[in-house]
Amino acid sequence: MLQKDWAEPEPQLTFSSLWVATKGVNDAVGPPADFPDPTDIHSNTPTFPSNISSIPRKKERVTSAPRASLAANSSVSAPSVTLSDQDDSDLRMTEGEQSVAPKDVPNAELLARLEKLEALIAAQNREGMVSKPEPTAYSEVPPPNQLSAVASPMSPQLQKLTDDALWLERSFTGHSMLEPLCDAISFRTCPVRRIVKQGSFVLQNDPSTPSFGSGEVTRCIWLPRRDEARIISHKYISDVNHFHHIVHVPTFTTIIEQIYDCIDSNTTVDIGQMTLLLSMCAASTYTWSAQDDARLLYGTVAEARGQALLWAKAALDVMDHAQRVGHASLECIHGMVILFYVFCNIEGLSPRARSLNARSICMARELSLHRIDAPSNREVANLGSLRAEIYRRTWWFLVATDWMVTQFAFPQEGSFTIHPFHMMVRKPSNVNDDDIVDTQPVIGRPLTEPTDASALIYRIRLAELCQNMLDKDRAYAFQAQPADHKFVMDMDAKFRVYLRELPDFFSMDSTNMHTLSPSDPRRDPKITIQRYTLNLLIYRHLCKLHLPFLARGSVEQSYSYSYEACMTAARMIIQTEKHLKLEDLPFSSTRLRSVIILRSVFLASIALVLNACIGRHPEDTPTNDSHLVEAWRIMDDAKDQSPIGAKLLDLSVQVLKRHTPNHPALKMFTSLPMATPMTPDSAGREEQRRTMPFQGFGPEADPSYMDQQWQALEGRMDLNTIDFDKLFYGLEAPFI
């Protein structure tokens, strides 16, 4: 069950309302000279006369309205507050009317009454502050029919009329475009292996052919046949979807069928659904492995992977068309999210990938995903349980991505697009896709039980830690000055709590996972992959958090914890990757095509290289050297899988070579035996790669490439001053 971590702040009676209550009296006798106007909109707290305690007081009897009606501020009506005395019982203020004071009331008497009221209200406000939790920006929201405590309740009829008027005001968002500013796009099918040979433009003679727009010569996007699309979608669901599980799988398979029904019947295809289909094809073919040969769709792995960019280009064309016609849909957002991760794996967090992320957030706001649970959102009642829950998953996935990428060196570093106070969306429920029934409320399972949404829920919690880091220390966010070690220790403690609170199926400390029955949900392949990738994310953050203090921690006792924490996190990254390699899963053979793995391993190698250059702990040298060599081996194996593998390896090796040219790790790596080929068709490439001299180790190697990389660091060679994240960003391979 969702925990209510959003609370509506209890209204408090302010001095501004008292001023309204006694305005008639003040008009008659006037306030003291040193008594400022508390209704000033630029003043947040009332100011009282400095000499108020010295004024003679007369015994008063104060009657206040019930606490619920003592809520007012400078922008609402005055509360029902009565000032009474046996000599002036006619001095009172009722709802909706303003009091008129006798002109012979002494000023001192009024001040005494005000002071007494102020003391009573301050006591009530203090009680309310103690009993009410601090409000936060998101999660559970109050029911739509729960009214705030106001002075004069409105009749139901007036309240309904007011709500209708406000709804009408919000309904005006401008005129729709009168004509599309785009060219036509047509869609045709052919065998998937022949798609690369088809032309990009066709002569559109048949007006009944499904397309967008009109025209004679149109842009044509070729799709696989229906049976082939089913195979590709099954590949996506089984091997890719668990990285960003925001689609509802039963609905996703229905969408695929709907697309081909439209094509077969020559009716208009939904542009958002087409975006989702093309992005799914790009993600599936990019992660195609030798195990997928059993699907009998492509001749070789290389042929399948060669089509990934073709599908990505087609998806971008359709997204551009959607932008030109002002299209917005949940399926289009899902397509952009999937393609965003494809580009992150191919080229890193490049401008193209960041643009996709920004466009998906913008479209989500266009659909009001950021206020899906706002009381004023009338549309949510018409969505149904299924659609509303997928909206929440999608929005929170975008939020988590937005907050996590702020930790990496790119132009938007240190700032996030989505502010926690600018949304009202409940957290996703811990449920499987099959558990969501459109006509029934969504009931979440315990977090100790693995579901389709488990990884997303814990990814959101990790993203909240990243967002908290920025809010706690702006200097850390913008690197205006070296990080404060106390702040680093505080954040370390929060990450440790996060690790301890992981369920057993996500914890690397659980040693009984392999003893469970294969049918146990905790042994599900997608849960296994999510366990490894989630832990890589955590230890990557810990390693980077303590990296600025690694060198000092090797010589200064006060920073020794950061030294140990950074080195432990680096070693855990290497060990996690080694365990993942041994898993009998299709992802194990394509893991090095994922920037998640490479980024984590590269960061671990930075910490290990820095420690090797320092050389302050000789007792740990053999262990650390073996982990460093293992990190290099992983990046060396990635040469055939990812275009950034060779660059990362060269940079890591050159750092150590320039500072410690005779380090044992350099010799250990050159003497490594040839690794077992990962796929049948990679044996020749593996043999050729191992027999070629390693670039960067040879004495006559051309240093021009490395010089260009070091020039980006402005010639700095002090390891304590190198911003390795910026170096990584220069290679266009940031990590999500």
Side-chain angles (χ1 to χ4, degrees):
M1 183 176 293
L2 289 171
Q3 296 182 353
K4 182 173 181 179
D5 54 2
W6 179 91
E8 184 178 20
E10 182 177 357
Q12 299 179 358
L13 180 58
T14 66
F15 199 79
S16 302
S17 58
L18 296 181
W19 184 264
V20 176
T22 59
K23 189 175 186 300
V25 178
N26 289 326
D27 290 341
V29 299
D34 60 344
F35 205 108
D37 182 3
T39 61
D40 182 3
I41 61 174
H42 300 293
S43 175
N44 294 324
T45 56
T47 307
F48 301 97
S50 57
N51 59 347
I52 194 170
S53 60
S54 62
I55 299 176
R57 295 170 175 79
K58 181 179 177 181
K59 232 176 182 181
E60 271 42 302
R61 179 166 51 88
V62 180
T63 304
S64 63
R67 183 174 179 181
S69 65
L70 290 178
N73 52 42
S74 58
S75 62
V76 297
S77 302
S80 176
V81 179
T82 302
L83 305 178
S84 62
D85 189 85
Q86 56 184 349
D87 297 329
D88 53 352
S89 58
D90 58 335
L91 179 61
R92 65 185 72 247
M93 179 175 183
T94 57
E95 295 178 6
E97 71 175 355
Q98 195 175 37
S99 299
V100 179
K103 294 185 178 181
D104 58 348
V105 179
N107 190 29
E109 181 179 338
L110 288 176
L111 293 176
R113 292 183 182 185
L114 291 175
E115 184 188 30
K116 203 165 188 177
L117 273 178
E118 189 275 336
L120 174 63
I121 296 161
Q124 290 180 337
N125 287 342
R126 284 195 298 270
E127 179 185 350
M129 291 174 65
V130 172
S131 61
K132 286 287 185 179
E134 182 75 15
T136 55
Y138 41 80
S139 190
E140 192 82 13
V141 296
N145 58 354
Q146 179 177 330
L147 299 177
S148 301
V150 293
S152 57
M154 195 180 299
S155 66
Q157 182 179 7
L158 292 179
Q159 182 66 51
K160 188 175 186 305
L161 289 173
T162 302
D163 291 343
D164 288 343
L166 295 175
W167 177 80
L168 286 173
E169 186 278 329
R170 287 194 300 268
S171 66
F172 179 76
T173 56
H175 298 288
S176 59
M177 293 190 301
L178 300 180
E179 60 182 40
L181 302 176
C182 59
D183 298 324
I185 301 180
S186 63
F187 300 93
R188 298 185 179 183
T189 61
C190 73
V192 69
R193 298 184 65 180
R194 292 173 49 191
I195 285 179
V196 294
K197 301 178 182 179
Q198 300 297 327
S200 300
F201 293 88
V202 296
L203 183 62
Q204 189 77 15
N205 294 322
D206 185 4
S208 63
T209 302
S211 63
F212 302 132
S214 61
E216 296 182 355
V217 178
T218 62
R219 168 79 167 94
C220 181
I221 294 179
W222 293 91
L223 305 174
R225 297 177 310 197
R226 185 192 293 258
D227 59 322
E228 295 171 333
R230 289 171 180 166
I231 296 174
I232 296 175
S233 64
H234 184 269
K235 160 69 177 178
Y236 174 83
I237 293 171
S238 61
D239 295 344
V240 183
N241 185 49
H242 44 259
F243 289 110
H244 31 70
H245 191 95
I246 53 178
V247 301
H248 183 252
V249 171
T251 303
F252 174 73
T253 56
T254 302
I255 288 174
I256 302 300
E257 298 300 324
Q258 290 175 351
I259 292 174
Y260 284 91
D261 288 343
C262 291
I263 293 176
D264 293 343
S265 60
N266 291 328
T267 56
T268 302
V269 181
D270 183 86
I271 191 171
Q273 294 181 352
M274 187 60 66
T275 301
L276 178 59
L277 171 63
L278 294 170
S279 299
M280 179 271 297
C281 290
S284 299
T285 52
Y286 178 79
T287 58
W288 205 266
S289 65
Q291 288 88 335
D292 294 315
D293 288 344
R295 303 180 189 272
L296 303 177
L297 189 61
Y298 291 99
T300 63
V301 173
E303 181 186 6
R305 293 177 180 177
Q307 285 194 0
L309 291 180
L310 181 147
W311 298 120
K313 183 178 183 298
L316 287 176
D317 289 341
V318 176
M319 290 175 191
D320 180 67
H321 187 97
Q323 185 176 19
R324 287 174 175 268
V325 301
H327 172 87
S329 66
L330 184 66
E331 291 77 19
C332 193
I333 295 174
H334 290 168
M336 286 190 282
V337 168
I338 295 170
L339 196 62
F340 166 74
Y341 274 87
V342 172
F343 281 125
C344 283
N345 288 326
I346 294 176
E347 58 189 16
L349 200 59
S350 62
R352 181 160 36 203
R354 298 198 302 273
S355 175
L356 277 173
N357 188 49
R359 289 168 63 182
S360 61
I361 293 174
C362 181
M363 188 174 291
R365 286 197 175 103
E366 189 72 21
L367 297 175
S368 296
L369 265 63
H370 64 295
R371 54 188 304 273
I372 185 66
D373 292 309
S376 60
N377 191 354
R378 293 186 172 189
E379 291 78 10
V380 67
N382 302 323
L383 286 177
S385 301
L386 172 59
R387 195 78 171 176
E389 185 63 22
I390 301 304
Y391 271 22
R392 296 185 185 101
R393 280 188 189 178
T394 304
W395 176 254
W396 273 105
F397 185 89
L398 295 174
V399 170
T401 303
D402 182 55
W403 290 352
M404 292 179 73
V405 299
T406 60
Q407 302 294 313
F408 312 119
F410 67 104
Q412 286 77 39
E413 179 185 14
S415 63
F416 43 80
T417 304
I418 304 173
H419 195 282
F421 285 178
H422 299 165
M423 63 185 187
M424 190 169 284
V425 185
R426 297 189 182 102
K427 300 285 182 63
S429 301
N430 188 42
V431 293
N432 290 311
D433 287 356
D434 295 334
D435 297 335
I436 307 176
V437 181
D438 205 19
T439 58
Q440 300 178 8
V442 178
I443 301 176
R445 299 170 181 258
L447 292 179
T448 54
E449 184 176 343
T451 69
D452 294 334
S454 294
L456 175 59
I457 291 172
Y458 282 94
R459 188 175 184 271
I460 292 170
R461 292 188 175 186
L462 183 59
E464 287 176 323
L465 289 178
C466 297
Q467 189 270 339
N468 187 254
M469 292 172 70
L470 298 185
D471 275 358
K472 290 290 185 182
D473 193 335
R474 292 184 70 246
Y476 172 83
F478 294 99
Q479 299 184 358
Q481 60 188 31
D484 178 64
H485 193 249
K486 183 180 182 303
F487 167 77
V488 170
M489 296 299 291
D490 291 342
M491 293 308 305
D492 176 89
K494 294 182 179 182
F495 278 109
R496 302 295 173 183
V497 171
Y498 177 89
L499 278 170
R500 289 195 297 270
E501 292 179 348
L502 285 176
D504 59 348
F505 53 85
F506 280 156
S507 175
M508 295 299 294
D509 295 333
S510 299
T511 58
N512 62 337
M513 288 294 105
H514 290 282
T515 62
L516 299 174
S517 169
S519 60
D520 193 298
R522 292 171 292 179
R523 286 286 305 275
D524 189 285
K526 68 174 183 293
I527 294 295
T528 301
I529 296 173
Q530 289 168 348
R531 176 170 69 251
Y532 286 115
T533 53
L534 187 62
N535 278 271
L536 284 172
L537 283 169
I538 300 167
Y539 287 111
R540 183 252 177 256
H541 281 291
L542 282 172
C543 188
K544 181 184 177 182
L545 181 68
H546 291 283
L547 185 61
F549 297 95
L550 187 147
R552 295 185 66 178
S554 65
V555 294
E556 299 181 37
Q557 184 63 30
S558 57
Y559 299 103
S560 60
Y561 177 85
S562 285
Y563 172 85
E564 295 295 338
C566 187
M567 295 305 300
T568 300
R571 289 191 290 264
M572 281 298 300
I573 290 173
I574 303 304
Q575 293 175 12
T576 301
E577 200 285 330
K578 289 177 64 176
H579 290 156
L580 176 58
K581 179 184 177 181
L582 299 177
E583 293 286 349
D584 185 20
L585 299 170
F587 177 69
S588 298
S589 61
T590 61
R591 71 193 189 285
L592 298 181
R593 294 180 66 80
S594 170
V595 74
I596 293 179
I597 308 296
L598 289 180
R599 171 70 189 209
S600 302
V601 171
F602 179 63
L603 184 64
S605 73
I606 290 173
L608 294 167
V609 165
L610 178 56
N611 181 68
C613 294
I614 297 170
R616 300 287 185 181
H617 294 264
E619 66 278 5
D620 297 332
T621 297
T623 302
N624 291 332
D625 287 352
S626 64
H627 282 92
L628 175 57
V629 172
E630 181 65 21
W632 286 345
R633 183 201 59 76
I634 295 170
M635 290 185 284
D636 190 39
D637 290 343
K639 283 183 175 181
D640 292 331
Q641 302 263 353
S642 172
I644 64 175
K647 293 182 180 180
L648 301 183
L649 177 60
D650 291 350
L651 285 173
S652 180
V653 169
Q654 287 291 345
V655 171
L656 182 59
K657 186 177 180 182
R658 291 200 176 196
H659 287 269
T660 315
N662 297 321
H663 197 278
L666 299 172
K667 298 179 180 179
M668 291 171 62
F669 179 70
T670 56
S671 61
L672 283 177
M674 184 182 70
T676 303
M678 300 181 65
T679 60
D681 63 329
S682 65
R685 295 197 308 271
E686 184 73 18
E687 176 66 25
Q688 181 183 12
R689 178 166 57 88
R690 282 298 183 181
T691 56
M692 292 177 61
F694 175 72
Q695 182 181 1
F697 277 97
E700 303 298 331
D702 183 7
S704 59
Y705 166 75
M706 289 305 304
D707 288 342
Q708 292 175 0
Q709 304 302 322
W710 291 118
Q711 286 174 8
L713 301 173
E714 299 177 355
R716 295 175 297 170
M717 286 300 295
D718 183 358
L719 289 175
N720 292 324
T721 63
I722 293 178
D723 188 340
F724 287 100
D725 245 22
K726 284 187 170 55
L727 175 61
F728 198 94
Y729 170 70
L731 292 173
E732 296 186 335
F735 166 61
I736 310 301

